Amino acid sequence: AIIIGLMVSFDMGGPVNKVAFLFAGGIIAVDQGKVMGLAAAAIPVAPLGMGLATLMGRHLFTKQERDAGIAALFMGLFGITEGAIPFAAADPARVIPSNMVGGAVAAVLAGMFGVHDVVMHGGPIVGVFGACSPILGFFAAIIIGALVTAFMSLALKKAAARKKERAVAA
């Protein structure tokens, strides 16, 4: 679960993400969607987490980033991980680790809750259409993972801002 969550969240739709996704989807028939359940919970965490971060820590983000945060929230609802790319491109040292930790947390929780996803897609939309179960465990894993991403990215951004302020003062 940790490896799937880390891989899905590392490059937000890039080759590492695709390897984890295709592996999980390729074994749906063999494992009744257990690994796809892990991936499906991790997929929306990065965009949802970064979108939440822009809402919770508005002063740490530019207007353009806050607008991208709203778009990321909507993309995350539909399982489109790429919504977090603008944030990772602007601040990779803080965003990518936050995404990865949140994705790993979501995947581990999905495993603990016994989440299964029988379609090759992820995000809340999969739960809405009834392709995964148990639904409460699926949504709990996503929400907790997204909150971990949001809080971690905000903490790292605040620490960087304090360090910059100290450097300017010195």
Side-chain angles (χ1 to χ4, degrees):
I2 292 171
I3 292 169
I4 291 292
L6 292 172
M7 289 178 71
V8 164
S9 303
F10 171 68
D11 57 359
M12 297 149 283
V16 176
N17 169 292
K18 292 297 184 252
V19 167
F21 178 76
L22 291 173
F23 171 74
I27 64 169
I28 288 174
V30 177
D31 75 346
Q32 291 79 43
K34 291 177 188 173
V35 176
M36 193 65 223
L38 308 177
I43 285 169
V45 166
L48 292 175
M50 293 312 301
L52 287 172
T54 64
L55 295 175
M56 295 175 355
R58 295 183 65 77
H59 64 285
L60 296 170
F61 296 92
T62 66
K63 166 85 167 99
Q64 184 178 7
E65 289 171 327
R66 291 190 303 268
D67 291 344
I70 299 298
L73 283 170
F74 283 106
M75 292 173 83
L77 293 175
F78 293 95
I80 303 170
T81 309
E82 290 82 353
I85 290 175
F87 301 98
D91 193 5
R94 285 170 272 288
V95 173
I96 292 173
S98 300
N99 290 345
M100 292 175 69
V101 170
V105 166
V108 166
L109 289 172
M112 290 172 55
F113 297 143
V115 173
H116 293 22
D117 177 9
V118 295
V119 299
M120 270 188 78
H121 197 68
I125 192 72
V126 175
V128 169
F129 286 117
C132 62
S133 64
I135 195 72
L136 291 177
F138 179 64
F139 280 108
I142 291 171
I143 291 166
I144 293 167
L147 288 170
V148 167
T149 292
F151 286 124
M152 183 172 169
S153 66
L154 289 172
L156 292 174
K157 282 184 94 53
K158 287 176 185 175
R162 282 193 302 271
K163 183 177 179 182
K164 186 177 179 181
E165 288 172 6
R166 283 193 300 265
V168 169

